[in-house]
Amino acid sequence: MCGIVAYVGAKDCAPILVEGLRRLEYRGYDSAGLAVHTGRGVEIVRAVGKLSNLDAALRKQPLVGTTGISHTRWATHGRPSEANAHPHVAGKVAVVHNGIIENHLALRRELEAKGAKFSSDTDTEIVAHLIDEAQRGGKTQLVEAVRAALARVHGAYAIAVVSSDAPDEIVVAKDQSPLVLGIGEGEMLAASDIPALLAHTRDVIFLQDGEMALLKRSGAEITKLDGTKVERPVKRIDWSATQAEKGGYKHFMLKEIHEQPRAIEDTLRGRIDQTEGDIVDGEIGITPEIAKRITRVYFVACGTSAHAAMAGRYWVEQLARIPSTVEIGSEVRYREPVFTNTDLVVAVSQSGETADTLAAVKAAKASGAHILAVANVLDSAIPRMSDGALYTHAGPEIGVASTKCFTAQLAALLMLAVCLGRRRGTLSADGSRRILDALQHAPHQMREVLAKADEIKAIAKKHLKARDMLFLGRGTGYPIALEGALKLKEISYIHAEGYAAGEMKHGPIALIDEEMPVVVVCPRDAHYEKTFSNMQEVKAREGQLIAVATEGDLDVAQLLLDGQPPQSARSSRGGSSFPPAIDLIEIPKAEPEILPLLTVIPLQLLAYYMADLKGTDVDQPRNLAKTVTVE
Ligand code: G6P
């Protein structure tokens, strides 16, 4: 998730811009750069790696001036390199951008045919060329040239633009990516997030989607993209700097849980061809020939990513009818697995660096298997070693316990299954359109589930005394049960087990008594009736049921009501130490393939609130690391 800082005022801007970028470091980045009006025109300095490298580059080539834009880049299109770092220049303009331009390939082809020369692999450079083209075509006002360029662009963006013939102006615009204006005295700033502004002002204006602003020392003129004037009141921010980094949430994990709808939208962006009911191949590299040649899909992953891979296996088997298997990286690594050159090995990894997954990929590669990485960090070790990559665009994840990367992986793997199904002819265009429609609607439904956070917090409070918890699910509900148990144990240190609901009778049922909260993932799907019977079995043993079910499911509601432990059982324990078993968390009705994206959210929130109420270090739980690059 890139960071933008822009400044126009009376002070030397380079130190202000770099310091602002430092306040956005939590967003993650792999390169950085700035563009300043120096009196000799707009000059840029960029550097790969940490901001200290940018500092060093600026010592060699100081940029002195009072108008400038700057950027930290979290790579999405084009590997991290100086050429791909922002700002991008075309003609007189320099542009920084956060987001993804969906129609960048078509625009690039068109601009190249007209003679534009590109010097990066980024989607952003297209914006610079479009503005340049508009200026050459007679749009002499920078704001008009930017307006004309943005009319051609689809996707998500926050941009800041300077032009060498407008030394006291910055134009900013946004659609779906964040941008906030800072109102200073005789100076104006803009940034991706509030922490970059706090040293200069606490008076801000949040730009809305489809709006742009012309920034000058004296103030901001805000308009819609069509030129209509916008009046927006100034807001005063009273957050501390740390609160601001977390967007006002108490922990990064909670912020990231709430960012999930956006993470899914960004992961789907530009990849769905709804007319054909297909997935745009892009960097995935699964041609129809490769898809038809595959005799097995072999998922490798660790931790939370392995749970996403398990859901991926169900989808690939259902939709593409290819035998599939999932193994955790460390087991592949220390066995002698048999890979063949007709295997598709899918390595799922948030960081793209996990040592065990990487080692498994190496072993598979040696046998000629086709390797596809599903990773969140562009150009990390696993995608570098793979034949293709399907990146999740969740942005950097800071909480050690993975949340938004998990649901982004689910979305990516469902797209992969659709892609394979379409290319092998096992999935019709209509069947695919049904799933893709539902997938595009999922972020909206995820927001509905997130709105139940307070209800889930109340349930967490009731079960705080639990020492053990059981999570059950069937079909794709099974990996979700495993993930719910993992989240809980990782951050609250409560012992938790995830089980396939059908396995309950083979062991875990022995654990169930009135002290045991049992979370059952039981949405209305093909397995509903079977999982419902499991809930009845839990109820019969007085376990504390917490059901994640489809809204309006009267059977579940009735079961939960009837399932109150008998008065005798409660009074024999002092009456109040264990809560009555009437916990129901409803998710919206959805197509079966989308259910895991919805059912996991209550489990993430339950784990979060139980941990927070216990007072553990939620973002950095003991003994755990975010990226595990050792065996
Ligand atoms: C660590 C993290 C987990 C993550 C796992 C796999 O254990 O704490 O959140 O799921 O590594 O990481 P990867 O980056 O490969 O997804």
Side-chain angles (χ1 to χ4, degrees):
M1 258 194 309
C2 308
I4 291 175
V5 186
Y7 176 91
V8 51
K11 297 177 193 148
D12 184 21
C13 70
I16 294 173
L17 295 175
V18 177
E19 193 45 38
L21 292 180
R22 208 156 258 133
R23 301 284 165 201
L24 299 181
E25 274 191 311
Y26 73 91
R27 296 169 70 85
Y29 66 103
D30 44 58
S31 52
L34 70 171
V36 174
H37 276 284
T38 59
R40 296 182 295 268
V42 172
E43 291 184 61
I44 65 167
V45 168
R46 302 180 291 187
V48 175
K50 291 286 154 200
L51 285 174
S52 51
N53 297 350
L54 185 65
D55 281 332
L58 281 167
R59 278 195 294 277
K60 276 197 207 144
Q61 188 194 334
L63 298 184
V64 179
T66 58
T67 305
I69 57 177
S70 65
H71 188 264
T72 41
R73 175 169 187 253
W74 162 268
T76 58
H77 291 78
R79 59 193 301 270
S81 66
E82 194 174 323
N84 286 335
H86 301 208
H88 290 288
V89 176
K92 295 176 191 164
V93 300
V95 177
V96 295
H97 163 228
N98 168 24
I100 299 165
I101 305 296
E102 254 178 63
N103 55 338
H104 71 106
L105 282 177
L107 288 172
R108 186 172 181 129
R109 265 184 240 120
E110 178 194 315
L111 288 161
E112 278 175 340
K114 289 186 203 158
K117 294 270 174 284
F118 282 80
S119 48
S120 78
D121 307 320
T122 63
D123 50 338
T124 305
E125 198 181 341
I126 277 105
V127 181
H129 281 283
L130 286 173
I131 300 171
D132 175 48
E133 189 181 50
Q135 284 186 325
R136 288 173 200 273
K139 302 273 183 202
T140 48
Q141 299 293 312
L142 180 59
V143 72
E144 291 308 326
V146 173
R147 182 167 284 139
L150 291 179
R152 310 230 27 227
V153 157
H154 309 301
Y157 57 78
I159 57 165
V161 187
V162 286
S163 177
S164 55
D165 55 9
D168 303 314
E169 291 184 1
I170 299 173
V171 174
V172 296
K174 91 156 219 115
D175 198 3
Q176 300 178 65
S177 298
L179 201 72
V180 54
L181 310 182
I183 326 288
E185 293 213 356
E187 58 190 16
M188 282 295 302
L189 295 100
S192 302
D193 201 358
I194 290 166
L197 305 174
L198 290 181
H200 308 280
T201 179
R202 286 182 173 267
D203 291 334
V204 305
I205 293 176
F206 291 96
L207 220 53
Q208 303 296 310
D209 286 345
E211 289 179 356
M212 56 196 299
L214 169 61
L215 309 183
K216 297 184 180 175
R217 285 179 194 197
S218 50
E221 283 170 31
I222 306 175
T223 52
K224 291 193 182 158
L225 285 187
D226 65 10
T228 325
K229 277 215 162 7
V230 172
E231 293 293 336
R232 176 138 313 114
V234 174
K235 273 199 172 175
R236 179 149 271 253
I237 298 292
D238 51 15
W239 291 344
S240 70
T242 331
Q243 273 176 321
E245 275 191 9
K246 294 175 186 159
Y249 290 102
K250 188 169 175 191
H251 293 101
F252 281 111
M253 181 181 174
L254 187 58
K255 178 173 178 244
E256 286 159 3
I257 289 174
H258 283 273
E259 279 172 355
Q260 291 182 103
R262 172 50 51 81
I264 304 301
E265 282 160 358
D266 286 345
T267 300
L268 302 184
R269 200 178 303 289
R271 286 189 165 136
I272 291 181
D273 178 347
Q274 193 63 22
T275 322
E276 294 295 317
D278 206 349
I279 301 301
V280 178
D281 192 68
E283 75 282 22
I284 309 174
I286 308 254
T287 58
E289 297 68 45
I290 294 175
K292 285 185 187 123
R293 206 176 63 212
I294 296 164
T295 54
R296 176 174 65 163
V297 177
Y298 199 121
F299 292 92
V300 288
C302 300
T304 290
S305 298
H307 297 153
M310 286 175 73
R313 172 177 62 178
Y314 286 96
W315 289 323
V316 167
E317 287 181 341
Q318 273 165 21
L319 305 176
R321 307 301 298 149
I322 312 174
S324 302
T325 189
V326 180
E327 277 222 62
I328 49 176
S330 53
E331 281 303 307
V332 176
R333 182 175 193 181
Y334 297 112
R335 298 194 285 113
E336 291 178 31
V338 182
F339 291 110
T340 71
N341 60 8
T342 57
D343 278 336
L344 169 65
V345 172
V346 181
V348 187
S349 172
Q350 176 278 128
S351 61
E353 301 285 345
T354 301
D356 288 332
T357 308
L358 185 61
V361 166
K362 276 186 195 156
K365 203 172 169 69
S367 60
H370 190 89
I371 319 272
L372 175 70
V374 175
N376 197 48
V377 180
L378 195 92
D379 215 30
S380 48
I382 293 170
R384 277 206 309 273
M385 187 164 285
S386 303
D387 299 302
L390 173 47
Y391 285 105
T392 50
H393 292 304
E397 193 175 59
I398 295 174
V400 165
S402 182
T403 52
K404 64 175 178 172
C405 285
F406 176 69
T407 41
Q409 287 167 346
L410 291 177
L413 292 170
L414 183 52
M415 284 196 283
L416 172 65
V418 168
C419 168
L420 289 170
R422 292 294 290 132
R423 271 148 229 204
R424 288 169 71 90
T426 53
L427 180 64
S428 68
D430 278 349
S432 161
R433 279 194 283 263
R434 173 189 64 78
I435 297 169
L436 296 176
D437 239 358
L439 187 53
Q440 291 174 96
H441 187 52
H444 169 70
Q445 297 187 306
M446 293 168 89
R447 289 188 179 99
E448 287 179 39
V449 184
L450 287 165
K452 296 176 190 267
D454 285 343
E455 261 173 59
I456 297 165
K457 185 174 181 179
I459 296 173
K461 227 179 220 163
K462 281 166 58 177
H463 294 282
L464 264 192
K465 289 194 179 143
R467 288 218 319 254
D468 307 278
M469 270 173 80
L470 194 58
F471 290 72
L472 302 173
R474 252 170 221 272
T476 50
Y478 169 38
I480 297 306
L482 292 175
E483 178 58 10
L486 178 64
K487 283 287 86 75
L488 186 72
K489 75 179 97 163
E490 278 183 311
I491 59 171
S492 74
Y493 317 141
I494 295 170
H495 169 240
E497 301 241 24
Y499 256 89
E503 277 287 292
M504 186 172 108
K505 56 189 172 292
H506 298 294
I509 198 164
L511 297 171
I512 298 173
D513 63 11
E514 69 279 8
E515 293 188 22
M516 174 71 106
V518 182
V519 180
V520 184
V521 180
C522 187
R524 284 271 178 182
D525 60 9
H527 319 288
Y528 170 77
E529 282 171 16
K530 297 264 180 281
T531 315
F532 190 83
S533 320
N534 293 123
M535 292 208 290
Q536 285 173 311
E537 286 156 16
V538 173
K539 175 196 142 189
R541 285 155 188 84
E542 295 173 11
Q544 306 292 310
L545 265 178
I546 303 169
V548 179
T550 304
E551 65 193 1
D553 189 333
L554 295 179
D555 295 341
V556 173
Q558 191 58 46
L559 174 77
L560 292 170
L561 280 174
D562 292 350
Q564 299 246 11
Q567 197 57 42
S568 57
R570 278 186 276 156
S571 52
S572 68
R573 308 196 148 270
S576 61
S577 39
F578 297 101
I582 53 166
D583 295 325
L584 169 62
I585 306 166
E586 291 185 319
I587 57 146
K589 289 194 181 87
E591 293 295 317
E593 293 82 359
I594 308 308
L595 292 170
L597 288 156
L598 306 178
T599 52
V600 75
I601 293 175
L603 309 195
Q604 294 168 337
L605 285 168
L606 188 67
Y608 170 78
Y609 285 117
M610 289 187 82
D612 185 40
L613 290 164
K614 287 186 76 181
T616 61
D617 186 351
V618 172
D619 282 334
Q620 291 187 324
R622 67 187 182 203
N623 308 336
L624 293 175
K626 183 77 191 154
T627 305
V628 182
T629 50
V630 292
E631 291 184 13

